[in-house]
Amino acid sequence: MRKVGLSLFLSFLALGVVSDALAQRLVTGRVASTENNEPLAGASVVVVGSALGTYTGDDGSYSLNVPQDSVTLRVRRLGYKGTDVPLPIGRTSANVTLERDVLELEAQIVTGQATTIERRNLANAVALVNSADVNRVPQASVENALQGKVAGAVIQTNSGAPGGGVQVRLRGITSINASSEPLYVVDGVVVSNVAIPSNQNAITRAASGSNPSLDQDAQVNRIADLVPGDMETVEVLKGAAASAIYGSRAANGVVLITTRRGRPGAAQFNVTQRFGWSELSNTLGSRRFDSVDEAVDVWGPAAANFFQSGRVFDHERELADRKPLLSETGLDVSGGNENTRYYASGLVKHDGGIIANTGYDKQSLRLNLDQRFGSRVDVGLSTNLIRTKAQRGLTNNDNASVSFYMVFPFTPSFVDLQPGADGLFPCNPFVGNCSNPLQTASLMTNDETVWRYVSGARIVYQAVESPSHSLRITASGGADYFAQDNNLIFPPELNFEPSDGEPGTILLSNSNNLDVTVSGNVVYGYRPAGGSFRATTSIGGGYADRDLDIARITSRNIVGGRSIVGTGTNVQAIEQRQRVKTGSIFAQEEFLFLNERALLTAGINADQSSVNGDDGKLFFYPKVSGSYRLLKPFGGLDELKLRAAYGEAGNQPLFGQKFTPLTITQNINGLPGIVTQGTVGSPGLEPERQREIEAGLDATFSGGRATLEVTAFRKSVTNLLLQRTLAPSSGFELEIFNGGKLRTQGVEAGLGVVPVRTDDLQWISRATFFVTRSKIIDLPVPTFRTGGFGTALGAFEIEEGASATQIVGNDTLSDGTPVVRKIGDATPDFNMSFANEVTFKGFHLYGLVDWQQGSDLINLTKFLYDLGQNSADFATPIVVGGDTTTVGARRLDLFGRQTAVYLEDASFVKLREVTLSYELPSSMVSRMLGGKVDRARLSVSGRNLLTFTDYDGLDPEVSNFGNQNIARNIDVAPFPPSRSFWFSLEVGF
């Protein structure tokens, strides 16, 4: 048997050698756009069924040696519809025109770890966002650039703080206690999106309340480091049928990012210079007092010392009314020839914050190289060095009355918090620790500096290439390393610092993370003579290693006001170490037949991980999918594709869930002690398992000028990671184990239309719609709560038979009996988006509107203002049961009995993005810089310019607890939102 296999392999290899040795002829030609006959540089021209190929130069021309026999040339370029050109015997020239693929009907989509297929044949729903969509408006992060552009993706910021804090949720709830984030892969390298808290909890003491295990530090997630301008395409694998290729790391979906590569031709330079500003987009407002008696009635006798009739201070605007400069300078260059290609870019970005000492800076250098050795070996290298600095102020919940919006509710509007003539900030007399938010913002430091290096390499060896057989071997690997330093300084002169008896606090955290990814794949393709079908077989394996170390130092009672931890008299240090190793193997068979109208795909991934109870056990994740295209099934419909898919994916246990935690006790007579905590992991701990089935249709109308995509999905998640109480005799209190079942289902749709397309005018319109619902099907433990601040303020409750995102709270029956029951749900009724772009001659107008309907939000910021009797509407009179009271007093009267009084509808419509640009005429451009400029474009842009909502808070997009599966939609003293405006000049030469 081995001899037969070896003979077959040598036969395939011989076929490739013979093919290369055939007599050849030189074919030349030009590739241009059908719209204006402009040359298309970087288009690929390959001989179908062989390894022969080249790229067009700057003038769109190409030359290629092809066999003397009759062959077919396949011409492709990103963003254009490809075409096949028959080349009969003796013909030596072929000019080709390509039509722009504005709706991306022929884009190549990932189907395996080393295979792709045209979108028209794809058997499951995968979203594709190209570089133009990502970079229409200057973006803070890649995630922000995807907002409103992916059906099935809820992408929301956690607050208005600069620099990150964005959660991506694909197809609803997938877990309760495991990871909530999709897997991110950049050029084949798995990159970290970990969000490491800054340790501001040491000042705010937020975790000392009812949520000690949930972080409230408003941290940055690390995908924010990446540069959107470097992205060529972003593919979002939303369902398990697509993401199963990544096994136990893919239950939350996978985001595949491909960065820009060089194109053959002379060096092409592009320079982008942007300037702009941001400004506060919303405030809460506070109560205004008409008389000293009213002020004294609320604030006590001390109010008489500060109240002056008609004098009002807008503390929110005093804090956050800066209009800082935004700037971004980018440069990229690409070029090369058919054997060597390069792309290099650099970026310097500065986003000033609307609050003093806040902002975000980024510097990036990227170099991508592609080298072809002969006709069989291709090598690609990707490198990216990034430095970011985020300054995020002091916001979110606290139990120490120090963060900005935790102090404002208890500060009357007639008190002046501005510094006096001596430059000193006054004590805030209405807060017990004298906390003055304007002073805190001015003097504190909350800096997060990150150095990051992402590098990857890919080698492709085309062992065999003939009209019927191909054998491709690929190997890839890479590393993602970052060092994150958090430096928080609260000097002794801050009014609130002496209140703990240790004036001055310095918090220093040093975190280091290394993700290593390696993989190898063999892909064999078979296409018989005549091309009646095509079969692609792939097998491969991979290994991933993540190593995270976090060291924290807390230093109090700073001597002499020095800003280093060694000057404190009370110094504490803690350290955390996490390492996760995952190995996998993968196999897939892809069968395209019936003249490329039908596709069947089946594959399986098996992996093992060090976080499982048995780290040597393999867990298998299969997938199968199929599609069939009906060509012109009836009038007006060009093509209808029916598709269905099934897949399984996993969600690994979190690091440490299988271990028994140890705590270092105080020393006894100089000897240290270690004791076990009360939690233990089940010996058989394993990944959560998601099984998903999806079905849908894709339709193309009007000669490719309209497309419709509709998908319905249903996924069941079993082996949920849960906690249960153990018998006292076990020696432990809680055990983490697998059990229970969660079901999430939904519908998503996308519509793309080109209503107008002429030589001078083109209008492209896109819309997305999706809805999801989740339900706890089985729960082997009693009903429990995860997140929130108790039933009086609203809590998320996990209950069998109920929605996974239900919010419960105190309520009163009609007979006055108190009861705890469901009062709302955080899941939206639906989400929609509308994007339109109109091009008229040199002008281009683009806009994106994002609409969320429904979703309940717990507004605890309003509750805080009511507690201080300081809400803007607190004193508005109303009549209840014949008695006169006020709006605020009525809410407080209901509080404790009816939690829903602070539960609000988080529906909104946002103008996410808008850009108006003008492409300068070629006659004008040709005179610039002595005729060396090829193109120039001016544009004005805005982001989050308008928000329409009935929500009575700063922003309906908010999460006090950061990125969480369940415990989102809680508003507690967040960073205020802002809108941004940009002016840009882009020049190419």
Side-chain angles (χ1 to χ4, degrees):
M1 189 69 182
R2 293 182 179 177
K3 291 182 179 179
V4 173
L6 180 60
S7 298
L8 285 173
F9 178 79
L10 292 176
S11 298
F12 297 153
L13 185 60
L15 285 170
V17 173
V18 170
S19 176
D20 287 344
L22 291 175
Q24 296 182 328
R25 54 185 157 139
L26 181 66
V27 175
T28 61
R30 179 176 182 270
V31 179
S33 169
T34 57
E35 296 179 358
N36 48 24
N37 202 37
E38 289 291 324
L40 296 179
S44 66
V45 183
V46 300
V47 178
V48 175
S50 77
L52 302 173
T54 187
Y55 295 91
T56 57
D58 297 335
D59 59 355
S61 65
Y62 71 91
S63 61
L64 178 65
N65 286 311
V66 306
Q68 293 285 6
D69 295 337
S70 178
V71 297
T72 299
L73 296 182
R74 179 163 291 166
V75 184
R76 295 285 188 270
R77 189 179 187 277
L78 187 67
Y80 289 81
K81 296 180 180 179
T83 188
D84 289 349
V85 181
L87 205 64
I89 296 173
R91 183 175 174 182
T92 59
S93 65
N95 292 329
V96 183
T97 58
L98 299 182
E99 180 183 351
R100 187 177 294 276
D101 186 15
V102 294
L103 299 179
E104 299 166 339
L105 300 176
E106 298 187 9
Q108 293 288 324
I109 303 296
V110 167
T111 59
Q113 294 189 355
T115 57
T116 62
I117 199 166
E118 283 190 2
R119 189 173 189 173
R120 63 178 181 173
N121 292 115
L122 196 65
N124 43 30
V126 173
L128 176 67
V129 182
N130 61 35
S131 58
D133 293 327
V134 170
N135 293 288
R136 295 187 189 279
V137 175
Q139 306 287 355
S141 72
V142 175
E143 299 151 308
N144 289 121
L146 297 179
Q147 283 182 307
K149 299 168 187 173
V150 178
V154 176
I155 305 173
Q156 292 189 343
T157 56
N158 296 328
S159 76
V166 181
Q167 174 152 339
V168 177
R169 177 181 290 164
L170 302 177
R171 289 188 171 175
I173 302 299
T174 56
S175 180
I176 299 173
N177 294 316
S179 171
S180 62
E181 288 291 301
L183 183 71
Y184 288 86
V185 183
V186 179
D187 292 335
V189 179
V190 175
V191 296
S192 175
N193 190 37
V194 64
I196 302 174
S198 65
N199 197 30
Q200 77 175 38
N201 178 72
I203 282 289
T204 64
R205 299 200 296 273
S208 64
S210 58
N211 289 280
S213 62
L214 295 180
D215 181 76
Q216 303 177 61
D217 281 8
Q219 63 266 32
V220 178
N221 51 309
R222 292 272 58 91
I223 288 300
D225 299 335
L226 303 182
V227 177
D230 284 340
M231 308 303 153
E232 185 71 63
T233 60
V234 180
E235 294 175 56
V236 183
L237 312 185
K238 297 177 285 187
S243 65
I245 57 178
Y246 289 95
S248 64
R249 297 174 293 168
N252 298 311
V254 181
V255 179
L256 302 176
I257 298 173
T258 302
T259 61
R260 296 167 63 185
R261 317 297 296 188
R263 292 176 178 169
Q268 294 289 311
F269 291 85
N270 294 286
V271 179
T272 302
Q273 181 60 62
R274 294 180 170 124
F275 292 102
W277 76 92
S278 61
E279 64 182 27
L280 181 66
S281 61
N282 192 28
T283 61
L284 295 174
S286 62
R287 183 175 176 180
R288 299 295 189 258
F289 293 86
D290 298 324
S291 67
V292 66
D293 292 337
E294 183 185 6
V296 169
D297 183 58
V298 173
W299 301 102
N305 300 324
F306 298 92
F307 179 83
Q308 294 183 23
S309 181
R311 187 176 74 162
V312 176
F313 299 95
D314 190 336
H315 297 138
E316 290 180 88
R317 293 197 175 276
E318 290 174 344
L319 174 76
D321 205 24
R322 299 172 72 241
K323 296 183 178 180
L325 175 69
L326 311 176
S327 65
E328 184 176 309
T329 303
L331 168 67
D332 66 73
V333 57
S334 66
N337 52 46
E338 61 182 29
N339 292 320
T340 304
R341 294 175 291 138
Y342 60 87
Y343 169 82
S345 70
L347 175 78
V348 177
K349 179 182 179 67
H350 170 72
D351 291 347
I354 58 175
I355 296 177
N357 288 322
T358 65
Y360 183 69
D361 291 277
K362 179 185 294 182
Q363 299 88 41
S364 170
L365 291 173
R366 173 175 288 278
L367 176 61
N368 291 350
L369 296 173
D370 294 281
Q371 178 66 49
R372 171 172 291 183
F373 296 92
S375 62
R376 298 188 178 277
V377 179
D378 289 280
V379 178
L381 299 175
S382 303
T383 60
N384 192 195
L385 177 64
I386 311 164
R387 178 189 180 273
T388 64
K389 181 178 180 180
Q391 300 171 287
R392 300 171 68 80
L394 191 64
T395 54
N396 270 31
N397 180 44
D398 79 52
N399 288 301
S401 297
V402 294
S403 69
F404 308 142
Y405 275 86
M406 291 293 287
V407 177
F408 284 153
F410 305 98
T411 304
S413 59
F414 52 77
V415 172
D416 187 2
L417 299 180
Q418 295 279 9
D422 55 3
L424 299 179
F425 288 87
C427 167
N428 183 350
F430 297 95
V431 181
N433 60 3
C434 283
S435 182
N436 183 332
L438 306 186
Q439 182 201 40
T440 303
S442 178
L443 301 184
M444 68 162 287
T445 298
N446 184 357
D447 294 352
E448 179 173 289
T449 303
V450 175
W451 281 96
R452 188 167 192 170
Y453 181 70
V454 183
S455 180
R458 180 181 177 89
I459 301 174
V460 179
Y461 173 52
Q462 195 71 45
V464 175
E465 187 69 54
S466 73
S468 296
H469 304 278
S470 68
L471 183 67
R472 186 173 77 250
I473 302 172
T474 67
S476 62
D480 170 26
Y481 172 79
F482 70 79
Q484 173 180 318
D485 295 332
N486 291 90
N487 188 26
L488 288 76
I489 303 174
F490 300 88
E493 54 266 32
L494 284 174
N495 290 341
F496 68 77
E497 263 296 332
S499 62
D500 61 0
E502 295 180 306
T505 303
I506 299 177
L507 310 172
L508 179 64
S509 298
N510 296 302
S511 306
N512 296 277
N513 186 86
L514 175 63
D515 278 79
V516 176
T517 306
V518 293
S519 66
N521 292 272
V522 178
V523 181
Y524 169 66
Y526 174 65
R527 184 169 191 160
S532 59
F533 69 87
R534 187 175 74 209
T536 305
T537 305
S538 59
I539 59 173
Y543 172 78
D545 189 335
R546 176 173 64 87
D547 193 350
L548 172 63
D549 292 342
I550 304 174
R552 303 190 188 282
I553 300 176
T554 301
S555 180
R556 303 182 188 276
N557 197 23
I558 307 303
V559 176
R562 300 286 299 278
S563 59
I564 57 177
V565 293
T567 61
T569 63
N570 180 358
V571 180
Q572 299 174 335
I574 59 173
E575 184 178 9
Q576 302 175 23
R577 295 182 180 180
Q578 302 179 11
R579 189 173 187 186
V580 178
K581 302 177 183 180
T582 302
S584 65
I585 54 177
F586 173 78
Q588 177 175 286
E589 182 66 32
E590 201 167 78
F591 194 60
L592 187 62
F593 57 105
L594 295 180
N595 294 321
E596 298 192 354
R597 286 188 296 168
L599 174 71
L600 288 177
T601 301
I604 191 167
N605 184 91
D607 66 24
Q608 55 186 203
S609 177
S610 61
V611 294
N612 298 331
D614 182 353
D615 57 14
K617 182 178 179 180
L618 282 173
F619 293 89
F620 295 87
Y621 302 95
K623 69 168 188 171
V624 61
S625 59
S627 67
Y628 183 74
R629 295 191 296 126
L630 301 167
L631 304 181
K632 298 188 180 299
F634 48 83
L637 184 61
D638 302 330
E639 183 176 304
L640 176 65
K641 180 178 68 176
L642 304 177
R643 51 182 169 79
Y646 171 82
E648 298 184 16
N651 203 348
Q652 294 179 349
L654 300 179
F655 177 84
Q657 285 185 328
K658 76 172 186 177
F659 299 122
T660 299
L662 301 176
T663 300
I664 307 299
T665 67
Q666 295 181 350
N667 67 75
I668 303 174
N669 294 328
L671 297 176
I674 299 179
V675 298
T676 60
Q677 292 186 359
T679 302
V680 63
S682 169
L685 204 64
E686 61 185 56
E688 299 179 340
R689 180 169 293 270
Q690 178 185 132
R691 297 176 175 88
E692 181 177 36
I693 184 169
E694 69 172 56
L697 60 86
D698 300 337
T700 306
F701 308 84
S702 305
R705 292 178 59 174
T707 63
L708 173 66
E709 177 183 295
V710 179
T711 303
F713 66 90
R714 180 171 180 167
K715 54 188 177 184
S716 296
V717 184
T718 57
N719 285 348
L720 293 170
L721 292 162
L722 301 171
Q723 289 185 351
R724 61 185 169 198
T725 303
L726 297 177
S729 59
S730 68
F732 297 96
E733 297 177 2
L734 298 172
E735 180 188 43
I736 299 174
F737 74 108
N738 294 103
K741 183 178 180 181
L742 163 69
R743 185 179 69 207
T744 299
Q745 56 191 13
V747 176
E748 54 197 33
L751 176 67
V753 182
V754 185
V756 179
R757 184 168 60 193
T758 66
D759 292 340
D760 293 331
L761 177 64
Q762 179 173 270
W763 173 20
I764 303 173
S765 182
R766 295 183 175 90
T768 67
F769 169 86
F770 61 95
V771 57
T772 63
R773 295 291 182 267
S774 64
K775 185 177 182 180
I776 304 296
I777 302 300
D778 178 51
L779 192 64
V781 296
T783 298
F784 64 93
R785 293 173 189 142
T786 173
F789 294 91
T791 59
L793 296 173
F796 290 88
E797 185 166 272
I798 305 302
E799 177 186 9
E800 186 172 307
S803 165
T805 53
Q806 71 167 344
I807 302 172
V808 300
N810 296 346
D811 203 353
T812 305
L813 299 179
S814 57
D815 61 1
T817 303
V819 64
V820 174
R821 62 182 176 184
K822 179 179 178 179
I823 59 173
D825 200 299
T827 298
D829 297 334
F830 63 82
N831 292 79
M832 291 191 72
S833 68
F834 307 90
N836 285 274
E837 50 183 310
V838 178
T839 302
F840 177 70
K841 295 185 177 181
F843 291 93
H844 185 87
L845 177 63
Y846 164 79
L848 172 65
V849 174
D850 202 359
W851 175 15
Q852 173 178 287
Q853 181 61 41
S855 181
D856 293 309
L857 198 159
I858 304 171
N859 190 349
L860 299 187
T861 304
K862 176 189 280 188
F863 170 65
L864 292 171
Y865 271 85
D866 279 352
L867 284 181
Q869 302 184 55
N870 207 17
S871 306
D873 64 348
F874 191 92
T876 302
I878 58 173
V879 177
V880 178
D883 296 326
T884 301
T885 182
T886 67
V887 170
R890 175 61 177 169
R891 286 195 297 260
L892 286 180
D893 179 62
L894 293 174
F895 168 68
R897 294 182 289 118
Q898 295 184 14
T899 303
V901 71
Y902 291 110
L903 192 73
E904 297 190 35
D905 183 359
S907 299
F908 66 80
V909 174
K910 288 193 175 187
L911 181 57
R912 287 283 188 199
E913 301 175 351
V914 62
T915 293
L916 175 63
S917 61
Y918 176 61
E919 196 87 24
L920 273 62
S922 57
S923 57
M924 180 185 302
V925 172
S926 63
R927 296 192 296 268
M928 299 176 66
L929 298 180
K932 295 183 178 180
V933 174
D934 298 324
R935 65 177 187 87
R937 180 168 58 188
L938 296 170
S939 62
V940 56
S941 307
R943 181 166 176 81
N944 291 330
L945 297 187
L946 297 173
T947 299
F948 303 94
T949 181
D950 291 332
Y951 178 63
D952 195 21
L954 287 170
D955 193 339
E957 293 184 89
V958 65
S959 174
N960 177 74
F961 296 110
N963 293 2
Q964 299 287 334
N965 282 302
I966 306 296
R968 292 184 59 80
N969 284 35
I970 300 180
D971 181 337
V972 190
F975 196 107
S978 62
R979 59 173 66 96
S980 59
F981 303 84
W982 292 87
F983 297 94
S984 305
L985 171 64
E986 302 171 57
V987 176
F989 56 91

